[in-house]
C-alpha cells in the first residue's frame, strides 16, 4: 500500500510517498514560498536529491500537481500512474473537540474542518486547500485526515479547562487543545519501543523544540498535560511567540500603544519569542553563533528559552509523580547540543543526569543520559509523515473491515 502524505502550510507543502508495508520513503520533498513570485521546489527519490529548481507556483493545487507529475514522470518518477497511490494522508492542525482520532475525509469532515477555521486561522485553511486540491487531482483516491490536536484529546478535564467563565468553554470552545500531537505521539511511542518497555506503564515527557515548541506529559499512554493551549501561543518561548505571559499585558499594551487586535495578534505570533529577545533572528543557529561571540541579548534569549523548558519539565514530573523517559525532538531538540545541555543542567536531584559526550550528537536517535541517570533521556528525530502514513493505513483497513462486516451481515 502506497501512501502519499501531504503537509500543507500557509506557503509551503511537504510531501512523502511511503510504501507502508516496509515503511520505505519512495519519494519526498518540499515546495516553499508558494504564492510568492518565485517558489522553491525540491524532489528526492529514495532520499537522494533528484530535482531542485525555482519557478512560479500560484497555489497549493498547482504545487501538488507539479509533485504528482514528477512522481509519474519517465525520467524522475517512482510509480507508473496515480492508481499506485492508494491513500492520501493529510496533516490537519485543528480538529477541535470533534475528532479524537484520524478519519476518512468526507464532505461532512471538510465542513467540520471549515467550522474550525476560527480556532486555527493560520493553519486550517492551508490544510483544507490541500485536501480539496488532492480530491480534484485524484478523485478516486481516498483521503485521510490526521490531526495535530487528536493525540491530546485524552487529556483530563482538569488539564484542558481554563479558570475562565465556564460558558466560554461551552459556547465558544475556549479550552486547551494542544498541538504537535503527531510528533509527541511518535517520539513517545518510539521511546518506549527503544526502551523495550510497555508504553502504558511509563511516565514520559516529550519536548518538541522547533520554531514552534511544545512539551507534553504522557502518563500510562495518555496525555495528562501539554504546554500549547487554545492556540499555539501558550507555553514555551518559541522562535517568534512568547509562550506564557500575563494576559493582563494585552489590554494594557493595546491601550498604551494604540494597537488593534490584528496588530497585537501579529506581535504575539510573529514578532515575539527569541526573535524579540535577541533582536537577531528566530533561528537558534544564528542566536547561538551570536551568543558565542558575546552578544548579551542572544545569551539572554537562550537563557530564557531554556529556563522555560526546565520549568515545564519540573512541573510535569510533579504532575505525574515521577518520570521514566524524557525525549527531545524537532529542529532545536534534535540538533542544538548546547541547548539540551543547558536545559538538563542541575537536574541531578531530579534523577536526570546528562552525559555530555553522548549528548554531542545531531539529528539521530541516541541516548544522552548517563548510566547513573534514573531517568532515561533520548534524542529521537520526529517523523510526523510516518505517523500520518501509519494512521492512514489504519483508517483504510478499518473502513474495509466495516464494509466487509456490512456485506456479510
Ligand atoms: P518547524 O517545523 O516548527 O518550522 P523545525 O522543527 O524544523 O521547525 O525547527 C526549526 C528550528 O530548529 C530552526 O528555526 C532553528 O532554530 C532550529 N535548528 C535547526 N537546526 C539547528 C542546529 N543545527 N542548531 C541549532 N538549532 C537548529
Amino acid at each position: 500500500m502506497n501512501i502519499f502524505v501531504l503537509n500543507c502550510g500557509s506557503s509551503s507543502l511537504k510531501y512523502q510517498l511511503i510504501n507502508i508495508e516496509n515503511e520505505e520513503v519512495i519519494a519526498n520533498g518540499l515546495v516553499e514560498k508558494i504564492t510568492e513570485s518565485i517558489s522553491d521546489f525540491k524532489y528526492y527519490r529514495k532520499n537522494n536529491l533528484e530535482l531542485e529548481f525555482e519557478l512560479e507556483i500560484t497555489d497549493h493545487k498547482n504545487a501538488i500537481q507539479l509533485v504528482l507529475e514528477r512522481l509519474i514522470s519517465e525520467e524522475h518518477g517512482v510509480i507508473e500512474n496515480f492508481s499506485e497511490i492508494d491513500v492520501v494522508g493529510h496533516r490537519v492542525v485543528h480538529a477541535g473537540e470533534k475528532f479524537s482520532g484520524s478519519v476518512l475525509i468526507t464532505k461532512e469532515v471538510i465542513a467540520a474542518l471549515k467550522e474550525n477555521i476560527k480556532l486555527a486561522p493560520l493553519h486550517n485553511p492551508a490544510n483544507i486547500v490541500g485536501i480539496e486540491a488532492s480530491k480534484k487531482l485524484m478523485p478516486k483516491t481516498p483521503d485521510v485526515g490526521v490531526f495535530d490536536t487528536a493525540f491530546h484529546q485524552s487529556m483530563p478535564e482538569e488539564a484542558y479547562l481554563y479558570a475562565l467563565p465556564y460558558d466560554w468553554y461551552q459556547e465558544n470552545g475556549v479550552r486547551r487543545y494542544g498541538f504537535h500531537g503527531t510528533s509527541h505521539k511518535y517520539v513517545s511511542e518510539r521511546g518506549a519501543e527503544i526502551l523495550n518497555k510497555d508504553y502504558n506503564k511509563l511516565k514520559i515527557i516529550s519536548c518538541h523544540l522547533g520554531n514552534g515548541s511544545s512539551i507534553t506529559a504522557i502518563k500510562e499512554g495518555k496525555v495528562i498535560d501539554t504546554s500549547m493551549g487554545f492556540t499555539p501561543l501558550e507555553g514555551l518561548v518559541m522562535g517568534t511567540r512568547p509562550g506564557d505571559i500575563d494576559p493582563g499585558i494585552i489590554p494594557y499594551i493595546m491601550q498604551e500603544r494604540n494597537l488593534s487586535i490584528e496588530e497585537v495578534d501579529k506581535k504575539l505570533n510573529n514578532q515575539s519569542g527569541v526573535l524579540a529577545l535577541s533582536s537577531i533572528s528566530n533561528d537558534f543557529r544564528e542566536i547561538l553563533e551570536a551568543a558565542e561571540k558575546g552578544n548579551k541579548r542572544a545569551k539572554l534569549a537562550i537563557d530564557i528559552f531554556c529556563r522555560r523548558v526546565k520549568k515545564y519539565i519540573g512541573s510535569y514530573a510533579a504532575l505525574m509523580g515521577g518520570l521514566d523517559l524524557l525525549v527531545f525532538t524537532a529542529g532545536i531538540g534534535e540538533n542544538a547540543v548546547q541547548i539540551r545541555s543547558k536545559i538538563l543542567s542541575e537536574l541531578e536531584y531530579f534523577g536526570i543526569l546528562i552525559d555530555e559526550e553522548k549528548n554531542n550528537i545531531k539529528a539521530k536517535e541516541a541516548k544522552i543520559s548517563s548510566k547513573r541517570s534514573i531517568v532515561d533521556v533520548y534524542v529521537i528525530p520526529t517523523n510526523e509523515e510516518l505517523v500520518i502514513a501509519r494512521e492512514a493505513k489504519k483508517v483504510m483497513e478499518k473502513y474495509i473491515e466495516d464494509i466487509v462486516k456490512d456485506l456479510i451481515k
Side-chain angles (χ1 to χ4, degrees):
M1 187 188 273
N2 288 333
I3 300 186
F4 185 47
V5 177
L6 277 180
N7 181 350
C8 292
S10 55
S11 65
S12 69
L13 164 78
K14 289 187 200 158
Y15 62 91
Q16 283 196 0
L17 183 65
I18 300 176
N19 172 351
I20 199 65
E21 264 75 47
N22 58 11
E23 299 195 338
E24 184 194 16
V25 177
I26 307 169
N28 65 308
L30 73 163
V31 187
E32 290 174 295
K33 300 187 204 161
I34 300 171
T35 72
E36 283 182 32
S37 54
I38 300 282
S39 312
D40 297 331
F41 185 97
K42 277 199 187 110
Y43 172 80
Y44 296 77
R45 190 155 64 160
K46 304 211 168 170
N47 284 321
N48 295 315
L49 185 61
E50 178 92 7
L51 284 167
E52 182 176 12
F53 52 85
E54 291 180 341
L55 84 167
E56 193 188 333
I57 299 179
T58 47
D59 56 26
H60 283 81
K61 182 170 168 228
N62 198 221
I64 297 171
Q65 192 158 11
L66 275 171
V67 173
L68 289 173
E69 280 166 13
R70 295 303 167 282
L71 291 178
I72 58 164
S73 92
E74 234 170 69
E75 200 181 342
H76 308 287
V78 285
I79 52 174
E80 301 231 320
N81 55 56
F82 298 150
S83 67
E84 288 179 48
I85 298 178
D86 299 287
V87 193
V88 184
H90 297 266
R91 178 204 179 198
V92 183
V93 169
H94 213 311
E97 286 187 321
K98 187 99 185 165
F99 307 109
S100 56
S102 309
V103 292
L104 188 67
I105 297 179
T106 58
K107 276 188 193 141
E108 292 72 29
V109 173
I110 295 179
L113 296 180
K114 285 186 173 164
E115 260 178 49
N116 281 334
I117 286 181
K118 60 178 185 240
L119 295 177
L122 299 178
H123 298 97
N124 269 26
N127 303 154
I128 295 168
V129 167
I131 292 169
E132 290 182 329
S134 130
K135 284 210 174 290
K136 275 211 184 93
L137 296 166
M138 291 180 284
K140 288 191 185 138
T141 313
D143 295 272
V144 169
V146 182
F147 306 104
D148 268 24
T149 48
F151 182 54
H152 300 302
Q153 280 292 307
S154 57
M155 252 187 303
E157 231 178 357
E158 66 204 57
Y160 70 69
L161 275 185
Y162 291 109
L164 289 167
Y166 198 68
D167 50 3
W168 291 14
Y169 164 58
Q170 285 179 310
E171 290 164 31
N172 307 95
V174 175
R175 53 157 284 178
R176 175 179 311 285
Y177 291 102
F179 299 89
H180 295 139
T182 312
S183 174
H184 289 295
K185 178 179 158 73
Y186 174 76
V187 297
S188 58
E189 286 180 353
R190 177 72 192 129
E193 191 178 58
I194 297 170
L195 292 180
N196 200 16
K197 287 189 179 157
D198 185 351
Y199 187 59
N200 295 319
K201 289 190 177 144
L202 289 173
K203 293 168 181 161
I204 306 173
I205 293 178
S206 67
C207 307
H208 178 110
L209 311 179
N211 196 27
S213 294
S214 70
I215 176 164
T216 296
I218 303 134
K219 186 179 181 183
E220 293 159 5
K222 290 202 168 74
V223 171
I224 64 135
D225 214 338
T226 188
S227 62
M228 281 181 168
F230 176 64
T231 71
L233 272 177
E234 198 184 339
L236 303 179
V237 174
M238 308 178 210
T240 59
R241 302 183 195 126
D244 299 334
I245 55 163
D246 178 348
I249 294 169
I250 295 167
Y252 169 79
I253 206 68
M254 283 176 81
Q255 223 159 16
E256 283 291 304
R257 300 186 78 109
N258 203 16
L259 298 175
S260 66
I261 293 177
E262 289 73 27
E263 283 166 335
V264 84
D265 195 52
K266 200 167 164 199
K267 287 275 174 209
L268 292 171
N269 274 296
N270 305 326
Q271 292 163 16
S272 298
V274 291
L275 169 67
L277 287 169
S278 68
S279 248
I280 294 168
S281 168
N282 61 326
D283 193 313
F284 264 82
R285 284 164 287 205
E286 288 174 42
I287 300 173
L288 284 161
E289 205 182 301
E292 240 164 64
K293 289 182 187 148
N295 184 303
K296 282 202 177 117
R297 292 268 300 272
K299 276 191 192 156
L300 193 63
I302 292 168
D303 288 348
I304 294 173
F305 176 87
C306 294
R307 185 178 200 273
R308 185 77 56 88
V309 179
K310 191 179 234 176
K311 197 162 151 181
Y312 266 92
I313 292 173
S315 69
Y316 283 175
L319 278 178
M320 291 194 289
L323 181 61
D324 300 306
L325 170 65
L326 178 62
V327 183
F328 286 92
T329 195
I332 301 163
E334 291 166 26
N335 296 296
V337 176
Q338 304 96 307
I339 300 288
R340 289 195 303 255
S341 168
K342 200 168 176 57
I343 293 168
L344 296 174
S345 66
E346 293 170 27
L347 284 177
E348 259 186 87
Y349 74 97
F350 229 74
I352 297 174
L353 190 59
I354 186 173
D355 181 324
E356 296 292 354
E357 218 167 282
K358 287 188 196 158
N359 183 43
N360 197 13
I361 52 104
K362 283 183 182 188
K364 63 173 189 193
E365 235 171 54
K367 180 174 173 169
I368 59 167
S369 47
S370 94
K371 273 190 188 145
R372 287 193 294 121
S373 185
I374 296 166
V375 177
D376 284 303
V377 186
Y378 276 82
V379 171
I380 301 179
T382 194
N383 196 340
E384 289 163 287
E385 283 74 16
L386 182 58
V387 177
I388 294 171
R390 284 177 183 167
E391 287 286 304
K393 176 180 182 240
K394 243 197 283 178
V395 168
M396 286 320 295
E397 283 173 350
K398 172 86 178 46
Y399 179 68
I400 292 164
E401 198 185 297
D402 288 348
I403 292 178
V404 172
K405 263 190 209 156
D406 268 359
L407 282 175
I408 54 173
K409 241 185 205 170

